[in-house]
Amino acid sequence: MKEESGPPAMPDQPEPPWHSRINVMSVTLVAFLAAVAFSLPGIHGSGRDIDYLGNLLRFLSRFFPPDLSVLPMTLSNLLETVRIAVVATAAAILISIPLAVAGARNISPFWLVVTTRMLLNGVRTVPSLIWALFAVAIVGANPMAGVIALTFYSIAYLGKFFADAFESLDSEVAQGMRAIGAGALQAVQFGFWPTAKPLVWSHSLWMLEYNIRSAAIIGIVGAGGIGVQLYGYADSRSWDKFATVLICILVVVTVLDFTGEAIRRRITRKVTKPIAAE
Amino acid sequence: MDWVVPQGRFVAVVGPSGVGKSTFLRVLAGIEKPAEGRVEYGCPGMATCGPRQIQPRIGMVFQNLRLVVNDTLVRNVMCGRLGRYSTWRTAFGFPRSDRREALEILRRVGLGPRAHAWVAETSGGEQQRAALARALFQEPGALLADEPISQLDPASAHMALSLIKDEAHRRGITVLCVLHDGAMVAKYADYVLHLEPGGEGAWRVREMKQAQEGTISTPLLEGAAVRA
């Protein structure tokens, strides 16, 4: 790493003109503040005089003590949720890697990049709950619907993440290998993949975490997993049973968050370190 | 320009910064197309051929090294032989004997104990020696090295250059090496290829001379003939 101190500022250098301060960032900030000012008047309650705090306390008190009799069923549903998320994530990884290659500007021709990116953007605009609604309508209310919904949703995200990751990588290494006679696939395998791998794993792991959280929600429309149970309890106002399910989800997601974060930090550590020679 | 280099000789490429020494090497390697003219190599079985056809026989030490940062030194070195094997052969790794040889060549550039370190964890000098090891491991017919000692301390630089020269003479590798240090040029080069700006971004050869007199007697076996 070289440290180059630039030339000292010229004493007779003129001040930059006032309009040089207008840039994307400052304009966006002003626009956002204007949007907040515009939105605030639109937010109001029901207008009735309700004791919000009392209401909250009364509602929360129904959660306690949690009804642990539903714990075995909760755990088995939780397992189903995790299974849905795992299968959906695996399917999404397999499908989104070729999509990402097609969507990376430094790898694919321009028309393919634009087409792929537009397709991914289109898929990403549809929330996972909507995908779940579609899937339930087509394959029925079962875990399969959950897998289909989350797979579509994850492809849109992983496709973009992977494509961005591939674009951020230095393809010079692979080009150098081509220059000493390596085949295209060899150059990808040995010159590109070792550096791409940690990013791919890191994003995949994040997606798995995300999908477990989503899988808990999409059950609400019947797409299998713990959401079905959760929605049933909310519908019948069995908040004590609801609390048990919530606590289980909380534990699983927290544990997953911490382990995922720890693993991701370990695998990306070596990439993020700057190369000494430049 | 039109000149020949006898096989197994060390040619130092010198010239002021920005004159196009790197570009010259890249053209020789077939990475860039020459603006005019063509590059020809003497090939076994044929009269001449372009750099593209014999890429596995051209070793490169890039100025920016181009090592795989997220891998070990020894695996980087083994990548030097990718051109020899088919995609299927290397799909699950390299032949076992290659690994031994790669470790041996790393030992010779003084990186034996660091062979299994990740590139990201090594210093600039270590990376530069690993890049050289990769090029030598390739067992090329011609070695094109772009400032291969720029980050080495004097002792390592001498070791690296004598290794290059030794390998060149022993295995008949024709070496073209961009160097800045006049003392190094005088000590190791058989020939000096002096480039100077030729106007409009072009360069031309000012001179191509024998560095030390009386050292050249090998006949031309595999030379690089450049017409530009």
Side-chain angles (χ1 to χ4, degrees):
Chain A
M1 275 168 290
K2 265 183 272 180
E3 280 213 1
E4 279 179 347
S5 53
M10 300 297 253
D12 56 348
Q13 209 165 32
E15 282 287 311
W18 63 270
H19 55 77
S20 72
R21 290 190 202 162
I22 300 178
N23 54 31
V24 182
M25 201 129 76
S26 56
V27 169
T28 311
L29 178 66
V30 170
F32 181 68
L33 289 178
V36 170
F38 173 75
S39 305
L40 273 177
I43 309 299
H44 49 77
S46 62
R48 287 182 295 159
D49 189 18
I50 297 176
D51 177 10
Y52 291 127
L53 186 64
N55 226 1
L56 174 72
L57 290 177
R58 211 158 345 109
F59 178 59
L60 280 184
S61 70
R62 299 205 190 119
F63 280 64
F64 295 98
D67 182 356
L68 292 179
S69 67
V70 294
L71 193 61
M73 191 171 123
T74 306
L75 290 179
S76 102
N77 276 331
L78 207 56
L79 182 66
E80 188 177 86
T81 298
V82 173
R83 281 171 163 168
I84 291 172
V86 167
V87 173
T89 311
I93 293 170
L94 289 181
I95 300 170
S96 49
I97 286 182
L99 279 178
V101 170
R105 267 176 280 260
N106 55 346
I107 304 175
S108 297
F110 181 72
W111 61 268
L112 189 60
V113 172
V114 173
T115 319
T116 315
R117 292 258 175 180
M118 265 166 62
L119 186 77
L120 289 176
N121 280 340
V123 176
R124 206 165 46 238
T125 52
V126 181
S128 57
L129 206 58
I130 308 291
W131 282 117
L133 272 172
F134 288 159
V136 168
I138 294 164
V139 303
N142 50 44
M144 191 61 186
V147 171
I148 293 172
L150 289 184
T151 302
F152 270 95
Y153 186 68
S154 313
I155 287 171
Y157 272 91
L158 285 183
K160 180 183 159 50
F161 286 163
F162 290 168
D164 288 348
F166 293 165
E167 278 178 4
S168 74
L169 292 179
D170 184 7
S171 55
E172 272 205 329
V173 179
Q175 283 165 15
M177 286 181 180
R178 296 281 286 156
I180 58 168
L185 282 175
Q186 287 175 318
V188 169
Q189 184 189 353
F190 292 96
F192 202 71
W193 182 241
T195 324
K197 197 163 54 177
L199 294 171
V200 168
W201 283 142
S202 167
H203 290 314
S204 303
L205 210 60
W206 177 86
M207 202 71 230
L208 181 65
E209 288 170 44
Y210 190 93
N211 276 343
I212 289 179
R213 266 172 282 167
S214 295
I217 294 299
I218 57 169
I220 287 175
V221 295
I226 203 156
V228 179
Q229 194 187 356
L230 197 67
Y231 186 63
Y233 292 150
D235 223 21
S236 62
R237 302 187 179 276
S238 323
W239 299 114
D240 47 352
K241 296 186 176 117
F242 190 94
T244 308
V245 178
L246 217 53
I247 291 168
C248 287
I249 294 177
L250 197 78
V251 169
V252 168
V253 169
T254 309
V255 168
L256 207 82
D257 238 30
F258 275 109
T259 42
E261 183 63 37
I263 295 173
R264 267 183 288 136
R265 219 182 353 225
R266 281 186 69 91
I267 49 184
T268 49
R269 189 188 48 185
K270 280 169 176 155
V271 210
T272 47
K273 249 180 149 180
I275 183 161
E278 192 50 67
Chain B
M1 60 205 273
D2 191 347
W3 42 271
V4 287
V5 187
Q7 185 185 19
R9 292 295 148 186
F10 190 119
V11 181
V13 181
V14 298
S17 292
V19 73
K21 300 186 291 292
S22 298
T23 312
F24 173 58
L25 289 192
R26 292 162 64 84
V27 168
L28 285 184
I31 299 172
E32 280 178 30
K33 281 200 164 59
E36 48 185 270
R38 62 183 190 277
V39 180
E40 288 175 345
Y41 285 85
C43 301
M46 276 182 276
T48 54
C49 58
R52 284 257 167 215
Q53 283 117 316
I54 56 158
Q55 272 178 336
R57 301 272 295 137
I58 304 177
M60 287 287 292
V61 178
F62 293 96
Q63 195 168 16
N64 56 359
L65 306 180
R66 303 199 185 179
L67 294 170
V68 183
V69 187
N70 211 42
D71 215 336
T72 61
L73 293 184
V74 64
R75 273 204 294 274
N76 264 286
V77 169
M78 286 198 286
C79 284
R81 286 195 185 162
L82 275 178
R84 283 192 195 182
Y85 302 118
S86 71
T87 303
W88 294 116
R89 178 63 195 85
T90 55
F92 300 102
F94 290 88
R96 275 200 171 279
S97 57
D98 274 14
R99 190 179 175 78
R100 274 197 306 277
E101 285 180 56
L103 288 171
E104 167 61 21
I105 204 137
L106 275 171
R107 196 187 57 73
R108 291 186 61 190
V109 296
L111 289 174
R114 301 286 282 156
H116 299 288
W118 289 61
V119 172
E121 299 165 340
T122 56
S123 71
E126 286 171 332
Q127 291 171 8
Q128 202 159 38
R129 281 180 285 161
L132 174 61
R134 178 175 66 183
L136 290 175
F137 180 71
Q138 189 185 344
E139 295 178 338
L143 175 64
L144 310 173
D146 200 348
E147 298 189 34
I149 57 165
S150 61
Q151 310 210 20
L152 301 183
D153 58 88
S156 303
H158 279 290
M159 188 193 70
L161 286 182
S162 42
L163 179 67
I164 293 177
K165 187 166 183 177
D166 182 45
E167 290 282 309
H169 289 189
R170 209 154 55 86
R171 297 179 192 257
I173 304 172
T174 306
V175 179
L176 272 91
C177 181
V178 174
L179 286 177
H180 279 301
D181 187 336
M184 292 289 186
V185 173
K187 182 156 187 216
Y188 292 100
D190 297 318
Y191 290 91
V192 180
L193 181 64
H194 197 124
L195 298 183
E196 66 176 12
E200 291 180 30
W203 36 255
R204 58 196 167 88
V205 177
R206 198 175 78 187
E207 56 183 347
M208 167 82 174
K209 65 171 186 191
Q210 270 178 240
Q212 293 137 327
E213 281 168 55
T215 52
I216 309 303
S217 57
T218 37
L220 179 73
L221 291 172
E222 183 179 9
V226 182
R227 280 175 251 278

